[in-house]
């Protein structure tokens, strides 16, 4: 289990996360819903070793503390991050981008079978393995980013707003592929503003508002929770 307890994070005087507690079980898909600036990226960055939480915070994987671990060592524990904005290398091909993800020791021996798994989950990447990534669509680039993270043989995949900026039909395709990833037994921790699509794939979720968890429940509970509606629709929803 991935366990985040009382995680607080400051940027100077700004408290971006305030005692956030979240758990993700083996094979589970959990979504963190939150509007712009709620702290979703900060939460994933803290888990991935890209932000340094305060002293009281705790992050454990299988009971072992990973807090404060340098970002380049985190993938060795079985955690992979697909960052917001994807972070793919545009001047490299699909295949070259994927191979960069196979760097952790836990992944190197299985590079060929992992690559095949990625091509099975995202057939379009297989068809376009020699294409330069900058010439691909946003949805395809997101698939490359997810594929590269999968190359590290993760047990926990952290996804930062994978649907951002994509057309609804592409989002549908992307989430169908994520369902395939989930079926391989990988746990997913997804942060999203796309409420209905992400709740359709998740078992559980949390609502994050200005750095605090203000709600949690099963996907079915969150779907009908007025706090979730209000968090995204804001004043417009309240006025109706
Ligand atoms: P978005 O969807 O807009 O990316 P988010 O929910 O992912 O939002 P974060 O990016 O985690 O939110 O940001 C949380 C808060 O912390 C915001 O108020 C943001 O302005 C602030 N913040 C984020 N990164 C930094 C930074 N490096 N320095 C200072 N403040 C930051």
């Amino acid at each position: 289990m991935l366990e985040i307890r009382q995680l607080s994070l400051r940027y100077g005087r700004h408290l971006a996360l305030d005692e956030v507690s979240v758990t993700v079980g083996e094979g589970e898909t959990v979504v963190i819903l939150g509007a712009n600036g709620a702290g979703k990226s900060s939460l994933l960055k803290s888990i991935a070793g890209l932000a340094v939480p305060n002293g009281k915070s705790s992050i454990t994987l299988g009971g072992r503390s990973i807090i404060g671990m340098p970002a380049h060592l985190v993938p060795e524990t079985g955690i992979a991050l697909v960052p917001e904005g994807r972070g793919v290398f545009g001047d490299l091909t699909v295949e070259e981008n994927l191979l960069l993800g196979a760097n952790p020791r836990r992944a190197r021996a299985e590079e060929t079978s992992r690559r095949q798994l990625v091509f099975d989950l995202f057939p379009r990447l297989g068809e376009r393995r020699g294409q330069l990534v900058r010439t691909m669509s946003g949805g395809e680039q997101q698939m490359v980013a997810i594929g590269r993270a999968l190359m590290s043989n993760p047990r926990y995949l952290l996804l930062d707003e994978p649907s951002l900026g994509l057309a609804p039909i592409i989002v549908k395709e992307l989430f169908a592929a994520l369902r395939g990833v989930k079926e391989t037994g990988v746990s997913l921790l997804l942060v999203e503003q796309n409420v209905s699509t992400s709740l359709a794939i998740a078992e559980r979720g949390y609502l994050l508002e200005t750095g605090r968890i203000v709600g949690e429940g099963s996907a079915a509970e969150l779907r009908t929770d007025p706090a979730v509606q209000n968090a995204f629709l804001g004043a417009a929803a309240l006025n109706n």
Side-chain angles (χ1 to χ4, degrees), residues 84-240:
E84 190 176 357
R86 302 162 196 145
V88 289
F89 295 94
D91 288 330
L92 300 182
T93 65
V94 168
E95 196 148 31
E96 286 164 342
N97 269 276
L98 293 182
L99 290 180
L100 285 172
N103 191 48
R105 207 169 308 133
R106 57 186 280 120
R108 274 180 231 159
E110 293 173 35
E111 195 176 283
T112 309
S113 58
R114 296 298 305 173
R115 186 172 32 186
Q116 193 50 53
L117 174 74
V118 171
F119 290 156
D120 290 344
L121 290 166
F122 301 96
R124 204 172 316 170
L125 297 188
E127 290 159 19
R128 304 191 174 196
R129 63 183 74 191
Q131 187 169 337
L132 289 183
V133 166
R134 69 174 148 76
T135 66
M136 301 178 92
S137 73
E140 288 161 352
Q141 292 192 18
Q142 186 61 257
M143 291 175 196
V144 174
I146 296 170
R148 186 181 58 190
L150 287 174
M151 289 297 289
S152 71
N153 191 15
R155 286 190 294 139
Y156 287 82
L157 187 62
L158 317 179
L159 295 136
D160 197 344
E161 293 204 53
S163 74
L164 194 69
L166 302 182
I169 185 153
I170 307 297
V171 173
K172 213 171 154 193
E173 194 183 326
L174 188 71
F175 273 74
L178 281 178
R179 231 173 244 287
V181 173
K182 178 183 159 107
E183 279 161 19
T184 67
V186 176
S187 307
L188 306 180
L189 178 58
L190 184 66
V191 310
E192 264 295 347
Q193 294 197 51
N194 191 327
V195 178
S196 59
T197 308
S198 54
L199 286 177
I201 191 178
E203 282 94 42
R204 285 193 306 117
Y206 299 82
L207 179 60
L208 188 65
E209 224 174 75
T210 51
R212 306 188 77 134
I213 299 287
V214 295
E216 65 176 283
S218 68
E221 285 162 350
L222 289 175
R223 207 171 287 125
T224 55
D225 186 339
V228 172
Q229 315 288 331
N230 292 341
F232 291 93
L233 301 175
L238 294 172
N239 290 337
N240 283 329

Side-chain angles (χ1 to χ4, degrees), residues 2-72:
L2 177 63
E3 255 187 299
I4 294 115
R5 295 277 173 223
Q6 293 189 293
L7 179 73
S8 297
L9 177 74
R10 283 185 177 279
Y11 297 111
R13 289 171 60 187
H14 177 70
L15 185 61
L17 294 173
D18 187 6
E19 303 203 344
V20 166
S21 294
V22 165
T23 60
V24 188
E26 290 281 336
E28 202 178 22
T29 295
V30 172
V31 64
I32 312 286
L33 298 169
N36 274 333
K40 305 181 300 299
S41 300
S42 299
L43 173 61
L44 295 193
K45 282 182 188 163
S46 301
I47 302 168
L50 294 167
V52 183
N54 86 357
K56 208 164 95 184
S57 313
S58 124
I59 306 175
T60 60
L61 180 65
R64 186 176 148 226
S65 175
I66 58 161
I67 202 159
M69 187 177 271
H72 71 280

